[in-house]
Amino acid sequence: MPIPYVIARPDISILSARAVPLRPAMSNKGILDLTDVPSLPLEDDTEARQFVLRLNGERARMEYDRSSDRIFLTGINVPRSLADHGVSDVLTERVLLWVEAEGLRLVPTCPAVKDYLRRNTAWQRLLLKGVQLR
C-alpha cells in the first residue's frame, strides 16, 4: 500500500513545498484516509483558546494564549488513534501557517511545538526575537 503524502505549503511560494509522510491511521472503523488532512478546515476556537482539526469524528487540538502581536503555543492534544500517524505535525504546520498569515510573533512553550521547530528550521523565522528552543 503506498504511503499518502501531504504537500505542505502548496499555496505559498516563499518557501519550497515539502512532503510530510503519513502512515494510514487505524481506528475501530478501519483505515483512515489522511490524504485529506490539509484540506480540512482549521478551526480557531477563540473562547477555548485552541485550534481544532477534526478528523474521523475526533479532534486534534492545539492550545494557545494570545497577547497583542504574540501567540504562545502552550499545548497539543491528539487522540491516541491519530497520535502515531503524523497528525500532530500536520496540525502544528497548519497553525504555523495561520500564525504567519496573521503576522504574529511566535512564543512556543509546548515541547512538541519546540521539537517541530527544531526539525523544521525554516519556521523559526516566526519566533519572537530572543526566544530560544531549549
Side-chain angles (χ1 to χ4, degrees):
M1 177 177 182
I3 298 174
Y5 284 87
V6 175
I7 301 300
R9 310 187 57 77
D11 55 333
I12 297 179
S13 61
I14 296 171
L15 294 178
S16 61
R18 66 176 183 75
V20 178
L22 295 177
R23 294 177 297 284
M26 293 298 296
S27 73
N28 49 0
K29 296 180 182 177
I31 295 179
L32 295 174
D33 180 10
L34 297 180
T35 57
D36 290 334
V37 172
S39 64
L40 295 173
L42 179 68
E43 302 170 26
D44 181 7
D45 184 346
T46 55
E47 188 173 307
R49 295 184 320 222
Q50 62 186 4
F51 294 101
V52 178
L53 191 64
R54 296 178 191 273
L55 180 63
N56 198 40
E58 300 192 73
R59 298 172 356 136
R61 299 173 296 156
M62 182 173 293
E63 299 167 351
Y64 68 86
D65 286 314
R66 190 167 172 184
S67 172
S68 63
D69 67 337
R70 300 173 185 178
I71 188 162
F72 300 79
L73 299 181
T74 59
I76 191 165
N77 184 333
V78 176
R80 287 182 194 224
S81 62
L82 302 174
D84 294 331
H85 304 286
V87 174
S88 176
D89 281 355
V90 172
L91 174 60
T92 301
E93 182 136 345
R94 296 285 302 281
V95 169
L96 293 175
L97 282 167
W98 183 91
V99 168
E100 183 175 52
E102 293 294 313
L104 300 174
R105 303 314 311 169
L106 177 64
V107 181
T109 59
C110 172
V113 175
K114 288 181 178 183
D115 183 53
Y116 183 87
L117 290 168
R118 279 188 215 98
R119 289 183 283 121
N120 299 278
T121 58
W123 285 113
Q124 292 180 17
R125 70 185 182 280
L126 300 178
L127 291 172
L128 180 68
K129 186 175 181 176
V131 171
Q132 296 181 7
L133 301 173
R134 293 183 188 182

